[in-house]
Amino acid sequence: MKSILIGTLLLMTITVQSQDTIMPLWPDGKIPNQLKTDEKEIHEIEGILRISKVQKPTIEVYLPAQRNATGEAMLIFPGGGYGILAYDWEGTDIAKFLNSKGIAGIVVKYRLPSDVSQTDKQNVPLIDAQRAIRLVRANAEGWNIKPDKIGIIGFSAGGHLASTLGTHFDERVYAEVDDGDNESARPDFMALGYPVITFGINTHGGSRKNLIGESPSEAMLEHFSNEKQVTANTPPTFLMHATDDGAVPVENSLLFFQALMDNGVSATMHIYPKGGHGFSLARNDEHLRGWTERMFEWIESLRK
């Protein structure tokens, strides 16, 4: 624990009082399921920053001013079909927006499944997600975060990863590397934006193929269809989706909402008639952009 905190303090000193800190998820040479290859991480800007072939996963921490801070934090999982990360569109822009509400925003640059640089690629995003939330809990005091007020938000395939973390947080998918791994990986609350949930009939084919391959077993399909993994211990959940989503059918959110209801888990869902897929903050849509306020109202309701 002490080594994690010292490392964090050093990184924060390097950033010279800036509001964000980039921190590696894993110590050098200890990235689970990683193979040594010539594969390189790629950053491309095509209207948004698209990151692919992630080799060194990180968390990028954005903290509100201390006097504005609520003590809450949200880890953010950008989408991109498990092929790329829409890193600013569904990542850093979301973190900055959360800061405006006094909530710490922590963008997770997680590894994307790779047949070239990983073993058991289907577990790799969850490995990084579990590690990320444990690392935030280990550093909560130094970042003015309450360790029991740490939530997550994910978009599209990032919503699949977030819902996987919310339903598989007790699954041991990697060996402990330091004291930080003694922390709980359970999110305290969870928000899912136009998420991939099921790997059944209404799935997003690209996300399923990238994570579990062309011809997955029935057991693998079941395991990663997260509507089938909900229990009474799944965190309270906020869902939002557009009915006309042509990439990830709205049935994904409906299936998860029903599973939450069936297991007695508190849930809120907002379904919009229009919006399509991948709308992020939807700042140019007067109706759709209201999802952010609805989410903050929901978070406030959890405080009572």
Side-chain angles (χ1 to χ4, degrees):
M1 181 74 73
K2 185 179 291 183
S3 62
I4 293 174
L5 294 174
I6 290 172
T8 301
L9 289 172
L10 177 61
L11 283 164
M12 294 182 81
T13 301
I14 291 171
T15 57
V16 193
Q17 295 184 351
S18 69
Q19 287 274 307
D20 60 292
T21 297
I22 298 177
M23 185 176 185
L25 283 185
W26 305 98
D28 285 343
K30 293 186 178 181
I31 304 177
N33 296 47
Q34 188 89 332
L35 300 173
K36 281 192 174 182
T37 71
D38 293 329
E39 194 170 58
K40 304 293 184 185
E41 185 169 306
I42 297 172
H43 291 225
E44 298 174 311
I45 298 178
E46 299 175 9
I48 62 173
L49 173 58
R50 299 159 60 93
I51 300 179
S52 58
K53 302 184 186 301
V54 174
Q55 300 300 305
K56 293 186 177 180
T58 61
I59 51 174
E60 186 165 355
V61 183
Y62 288 80
L63 301 176
Q66 189 167 355
R67 291 179 66 179
N68 285 329
T70 65
E72 294 153 333
M74 295 188 81
L75 283 79
I76 305 158
F77 298 95
Y82 283 124
I84 62 104
L85 300 178
Y87 193 75
D88 50 2
W89 181 244
E90 294 171 345
T92 54
D93 280 4
I94 305 298
K96 295 169 188 176
F97 196 76
L98 289 170
N99 280 183
S100 74
K101 299 292 187 179
I103 299 173
I106 299 160
V107 187
V108 185
K109 188 182 75 172
Y110 57 92
R111 286 174 292 162
L112 299 157
S114 171
D115 293 315
V116 174
S117 60
Q118 297 162 9
T119 60
D120 295 325
K121 68 175 185 178
Q122 72 279 359
N123 289 327
V124 167
L126 178 59
I127 288 171
D128 286 352
Q130 286 190 359
R131 173 68 174 178
I133 194 167
R134 288 178 172 133
L135 206 56
V136 172
R137 282 212 165 91
N139 287 280
E141 183 177 355
W143 291 337
N144 197 31
I145 293 168
K146 298 174 183 176
D148 60 348
K149 300 293 182 183
I150 298 173
I152 60 176
I153 182 170
F155 300 87
S156 193
H160 184 267
L161 178 54
S163 65
T164 304
L165 179 59
T167 53
H168 297 254
F169 53 84
D170 273 341
E171 187 177 333
R172 299 300 296 184
V173 287
Y174 69 92
E176 179 181 323
V177 298
D178 56 33
D179 289 347
D181 288 322
N182 294 323
E183 301 285 348
S184 171
R186 181 184 181 273
D188 294 301
F189 54 96
M190 177 164 61
L192 306 174
Y194 39 89
V196 179
I197 294 293
T198 187
F199 278 174
I201 294 173
N202 290 301
T203 192
H204 177 250
S207 296
R208 182 175 69 183
K209 176 184 173 183
N210 286 335
L211 187 65
I212 61 176
E214 291 268 15
S215 303
S217 66
E218 286 299 321
M220 191 77 76
L221 289 169
E222 177 97 4
H223 187 71
F224 287 105
S225 289
N226 291 325
E227 79 280 10
K228 299 181 179 181
Q229 306 304 324
V230 174
T231 70
N233 203 28
T234 300
T237 301
F238 174 97
L239 293 137
M240 60 90 176
H241 217 125
T243 305
D244 66 349
D245 191 327
V248 178
V250 70
E251 283 81 3
N252 282 263
S253 286
L254 297 174
L255 284 167
F256 202 67
F257 181 80
Q258 187 61 59
L260 294 165
M261 294 296 92
D262 291 345
N263 285 273
V265 178
S266 175
T268 294
M269 181 169 61
H270 293 272
I271 303 297
Y272 294 87
K274 295 181 180 180
H277 186 72
F279 47 78
S280 181
L281 294 169
R283 301 316 300 161
N284 294 323
D285 187 313
E286 292 182 2
H287 180 55
L288 191 59
R289 69 189 181 195
W291 78 261
T292 55
E293 292 304 317
R294 305 293 80 74
M295 183 182 73
F296 292 126
E297 290 165 0
W298 169 74
I299 291 172
E300 285 179 330
S301 75
L302 299 177
R303 300 171 187 164
K304 299 174 182 177

